[in-house]
Amino acid sequence: DTAVSQTPKYLVTQMGNDKSIKCEQNLGHDTMYWYKQDSKKFLKIMFSYNNKELIINETVPNRFSPKSPDKAHLNLHINSLELGDSAVYFCASSQVGILEQYFGPGTRLTVT
Amino acid sequence: LAKTTQPISMDSYEGQEVNITCSHNNIATNDYITWYQQFPSQGPRFIIQGYKTKVTNEVASLFIPADRKSSTLSLPRVSLSDTAVYYCLVGYPRSGSGNTGKLIFGQGTTLQVKP
């Protein structure tokens, strides 16, 4: 069973479009995250979501918005996509208060 | 905020011990040090975590000096399958409302293990 899953694995779209990436975890974790990994392999946290409390990295544009329908899901919505949004996006989860995170397989977003 | 610095790349041979050092001069009192491994086209995978001194598990050891300004991940007797990117993470977990947590990844060290 996949612990943390993401869909789609690949996403190719044009500038200006709106897209969503879905994430689900079956580990019963309380906290979920979204990360962005750029072409130089830098990993940066975008959001942390726990018990309906969202913590936003201040450098993330407000075109990005996480949506959590329930504890097991944290989706990422991106409006008005830009070329610089091209990257691999990872979802992760952990128990609250625990640093050990479980990452999904990633979604490679390409904006043309 | 604590910034982490790692070597960009390292080469090794099968059977050797590999030590990857991460520098985190501005580490805070409540920060932990965690290491992750990432294979191509996969998400990072937790390896080991520590606060001070030495921690060992079935896959690696983590050495943290008394001043905690650096840490060293030690991989004993590496094999070809250990070829991956290794990330140092400094921070503390989010522990509920009002405590946002802090997670800062290093730029990663690409380890290439040769036969």
Side-chain angles (χ1 to χ4, degrees):
Chain A
D1 285 342
T2 302
V4 182
S5 60
Q6 297 178 227
T7 55
K9 189 168 177 63
Y10 300 96
L11 183 54
V12 181
T13 188
Q14 293 182 330
M15 286 176 57
N17 285 347
D18 303 336
K19 290 293 180 184
S20 296
I21 305 173
K22 295 184 177 181
C23 177
E24 177 182 1
Q25 56 96 3
N26 62 7
L27 298 167
H29 288 164
D30 304 289
T31 305
M32 296 184 72
Y33 311 82
W34 276 106
Y35 286 87
K36 179 181 180 180
Q37 186 171 47
D38 62 23
S39 58
K40 295 183 178 180
K41 301 296 184 183
F42 279 97
L43 262 172
K44 290 187 178 180
I45 188 167
M46 302 175 70
F47 303 102
S48 165
Y49 199 92
N50 170 253
N51 288 333
K52 300 187 185 300
E53 183 179 9
L54 175 66
I55 302 298
I56 300 173
N57 184 320
E58 60 186 10
T59 65
V60 176
N62 56 16
R63 298 182 294 104
F64 290 80
S65 58
K67 307 284 187 195
S68 181
D70 55 58
K71 196 173 84 166
H73 297 83
L74 183 65
N75 303 324
L76 182 65
H77 296 267
I78 316 170
N79 295 325
S80 303
L81 278 156
E82 300 177 356
L83 292 176
D85 298 332
S86 295
V88 180
Y89 291 85
F90 288 99
C91 175
S93 72
S94 71
Q95 291 285 19
V96 65
I98 301 295
L99 271 176
E100 182 177 353
Q101 298 177 54
Y102 291 77
F103 282 78
T107 296
R108 182 174 293 277
L109 172 65
T110 302
V111 182
T112 62
Chain B
L1 290 176
K3 177 183 176 181
T4 62
T5 304
Q6 307 174 229
I8 297 298
S9 64
M10 295 181 69
D11 288 342
S12 182
Y13 290 92
E14 283 192 290
Q16 288 187 334
E17 178 184 75
V18 171
N19 296 308
I20 305 173
T21 297
C22 180
S23 172
H24 29 79
N25 291 320
N26 297 324
I27 191 168
T29 303
N30 55 351
D31 285 342
Y32 284 77
I33 299 153
T34 310
W35 285 80
Y36 283 79
Q37 176 191 55
Q38 185 180 27
F39 296 113
S41 300
Q42 294 186 24
R45 184 175 71 101
F46 174 88
I47 302 175
I48 197 167
Q49 175 183 308
Y51 184 80
K52 61 180 179 180
T53 63
K54 176 184 175 182
V55 179
T56 298
N57 62 21
E58 63 275 10
V59 297
S61 294
L62 178 59
F63 299 91
I64 306 169
D67 65 6
R68 302 199 331 122
K69 293 183 183 297
S70 67
S71 58
T72 300
L73 174 72
S74 181
L75 304 172
R77 298 178 299 281
V78 295
S79 64
L80 295 176
S81 63
D82 292 317
T83 294
V85 179
Y86 292 83
Y87 289 94
C88 164
L89 167 64
V90 171
Y92 56 88
R94 179 173 176 173
S95 58
S97 180
N99 182 340
T100 62
K102 183 183 79 175
L103 301 169
I104 300 176
F105 277 88
Q107 74 270 37
T109 298
T110 299
L111 172 65
Q112 179 69 51
V113 179
K114 302 175 182 178

